[in-house]
Amino acid sequence: MDATSFILPLAEITIAGAIINASVHFVPVGGAPAAMATSTGVGTGTTQLAAGAGFTGLLAAATMASQAGVSLANPVHMLLIMLSGAVGAMIMLGLTMLIGQIIYVYGIGIVPAADKCEKDPITGDIQKPYITPGTTGHGIPTVCFVSGSIGAALGGLGGALAYIALQQLGFAAAIAGVLAVGFFFMNAVLASYNIGGTIEGFHDPKFKKMPNGVIASFVSSLIAGAVLIGMAMGL
Amino acid sequence: MSHGGGGHAAELFPEDQVLAIGAVLSLIGIYVAQLFPSVSMLLGGLLAVGACVAGANTTRRVAAYGLGTGVPSIGMVSLGMGTISALAGVLIPAAFGIPVLVTPILTAVIAVAVGFIVGKLTQNPVGMKVPIIVSSMTKLSLMGALAILGFCSAFAGGFSADIIINGAISNGVIALAFIAAGMAILHPFNACIGPDESHKRTMTLAVACGLIAWLVFSIAKLDIVSTAVAAIFWLYTFGTFVKISLADACEVKYVPELPKKE
């Protein structure tokens, strides 16, 4: 294997790690308070949500990559694989947020309202009067839903890009899939440690911490990429 | 007593001791699986439980500081780094013409290096305020890698690339190793966390979780002897865990009532 054939996959893996980390910051995570409707977002942890969206995206990308006639050498086909990853992840997270929202609104009977902004940046609706005192918002307001969809799309793109890079290095589909999952978890957890608890989306003050997480994932992905190339040499 | 944000409960065994025993046992198990494939699941699977227990012990120690993201995240990052390290240990010897017997050692070395670097990154630039995060990430990465390699080589009957790739990776068994070993590492403390957490109870559950992971692999391999042995061991440990839980609950239940008058 010559030098030029692994510089591109190394760059792709490093960028994929940074994208996965950035994607997690967009996803509205509420944790246990959200499960009790006393905070905004989906009622589970960052890692689980990002993993769910990421795996669906990875499966969508892998399915597209295994279609007859799809070649990794063709940039248009690569773009198609990445887009199918993004759409797969968006469907998963979109449905999770939609069903969660139905339960919040019709099951618990709350008004979706964001605590971290005066007005919803997208609809312009005033938020503050709808927040129950003692809580930090409820449900999944429009801005969180849009932010989550952007995050899922980025996560799917990142996961698909990592999968493409691993295939380009010559790993079989099974090994590339397993490695992409491990790689995805590493970066998703680094991002969740950067967030530390709950985040509403891109309008949340915590979103400004994103560069730290992205730098951390960039470095860790570069190292993981170097290890992966060492492994690929034996194939 | 152990709770999020606080210190940790009194320890029965020092962490490094558990870690060393877990690492040595799982390494022996991996070599047994390679050298004696006929007993790979019986002995290799049993000894891989050591890595799960040591990982669960480290999880208990680091998660007691309160990570802010829940206990499962540390188990998942452990297995994420572990998968890459374990596969690196399997595939790198073939690339550089190193004898295949160094695979477990190489896996451990790569896992320690990756864990240390990721741990450093969680401190700076991410800024985790947990004092033992670097050492814990290193240990968890090592235990995740040894658990994955342990269960996979026990299932495939060896760790050389030709055996393990067809026997445990291409058929998807590594996904089972990922989630079963991951649960065994993250679940014990996640289940026992709270103001009355005790090291003994958490560790008993850790052994039970490791054994049930072994039981799942034995059933998947259709290995009657190891299935029977694992089932007996698991039933015994889980029974002990239930007894300890009931005894601890009893302590809480029989707190004397407050006097009605001063």
Side-chain angles (χ1 to χ4, degrees), chain B residues 105-133:
Chain B
I105 308 291
L106 191 66
T107 299
V109 170
I110 294 170
V112 165
V114 171
F116 182 78
I117 293 164
V118 174
K120 278 279 175 202
L121 288 169
T122 59
Q123 250 183 354
N124 187 23
V126 169
M128 282 280 278
K129 299 273 187 301
V130 175
I132 57 166
I133 191 80

Side-chain angles (χ1 to χ4, degrees), chain A residues 28-46 49 104 197-199, chain B residues 69:
Chain A
V29 178
M36 297 180 282
T38 61
S39 136
T40 325
V42 186
T44 186
T46 329
L49 265 183
Y104 281 135
T198 64
I199 187 166
Chain B
T69 59

